Amino acid sequence: MTRRPPVFRDDDFGEDARREAVAMVEDRVRAGLPPQSVVAVTGLTYSTVVREALAKGALHRRPMFRRITETGVEWDDGTFLACDTIVWATGFRSALDHLAPLRLREPGGGIRVDGTRVVRDPRVQLVGYGPSASTIGANRAGRMAAREVHRLLTTTPRPSGRCARAFGGYLRASTRHPRT
């Protein structure tokens, strides 16, 4: 689910340049400052995995849902997707104002993270925020978030309802169905 369709680039962007861009963003979020856009430097590349997934029809972009409920997400047309966990993959230009009630921001304006886990609220995983907002850090960040969510769901009592409040795409969900 994205605000707009992804834009891929066909040219190559070297590993050293990618690592340097990620390091600059990582320095900012470790200091509690808002991240700067990494995608403006790295872009989205067509990896072998992405090309194969596109060829198989496995990547389907959906628009953002309208709201999160206790048991899933709902779109404007009433389509509902039940889910156990939501991971908010913030992308290259994070839009996190809807998380303001959680008071995650530091005095410098950013959200302090340790890997993908928000320091002020370990239930929240921000995949795509800071150093994970890059073509080089995304796979590692996805694996890290999956391990964190698994640890959270297996060691922490869950709130009532099925939807644990880690925000964004989804790790595990049932098939979608119209809301009745």
Side-chain angles (χ1 to χ4, degrees):
M1 290 162 244
T2 62
R3 288 178 289 156
R4 62 179 187 272
V7 177
F8 292 95
R9 54 187 283 167
D10 289 316
D11 58 336
D12 186 32
F13 187 69
E15 189 171 326
D16 289 339
R18 291 191 305 249
R19 289 186 192 282
E20 187 177 313
V22 171
M24 288 187 295
V25 175
E26 186 171 13
D27 289 344
R28 288 184 60 83
V29 298
R30 286 192 186 277
L33 299 172
Q36 293 176 325
S37 172
V38 175
V39 73
V41 179
T42 64
L44 295 172
T45 58
Y46 283 109
S47 69
T48 302
V49 172
V50 169
R51 288 185 193 278
E52 289 172 0
L54 286 168
K56 292 177 184 176
L59 295 179
H60 301 281
R61 183 236 173 221
R62 292 206 52 184
M64 288 302 296
F65 41 81
R66 179 173 51 97
R67 68 186 190 114
I68 298 172
T69 71
E70 287 297 316
T71 59
V73 295
E74 184 177 334
W75 281 265
D76 287 336
D77 67 1
T79 301
F80 180 78
L81 177 68
C83 62
D84 295 314
T85 303
I86 301 171
V87 177
W88 198 266
T90 63
F92 298 108
R93 208 170 97 222
S94 54
L96 303 173
D97 292 345
H98 63 287
L99 299 179
L102 298 177
R103 300 181 183 184
L104 304 176
R105 295 207 180 268
E106 298 293 328
I111 298 174
R112 189 179 310 270
V113 295
D114 181 6
T116 58
R117 181 176 36 85
V118 173
V119 173
R120 289 188 177 201
D121 189 338
R123 300 171 303 161
V124 179
Q125 302 291 314
L126 297 180
V127 179
Y129 182 83
S132 68
S134 72
T135 53
I136 197 167
N139 287 336
R140 182 174 51 242
R143 286 189 300 271
M144 184 182 307
R147 284 191 296 270
E148 287 283 338
V149 168
H150 180 265
R151 182 190 60 74
L152 179 74
L153 292 175
T154 57
T155 63
T156 307
R158 290 174 31 184
S160 62
R162 296 181 49 224
C163 194
R165 296 280 186 176
F167 292 88
Y170 50 89
L171 290 179
R172 196 175 114 214
S174 64
T175 58
R176 66 187 174 140
H177 58 280
R179 186 167 198 127
T180 53

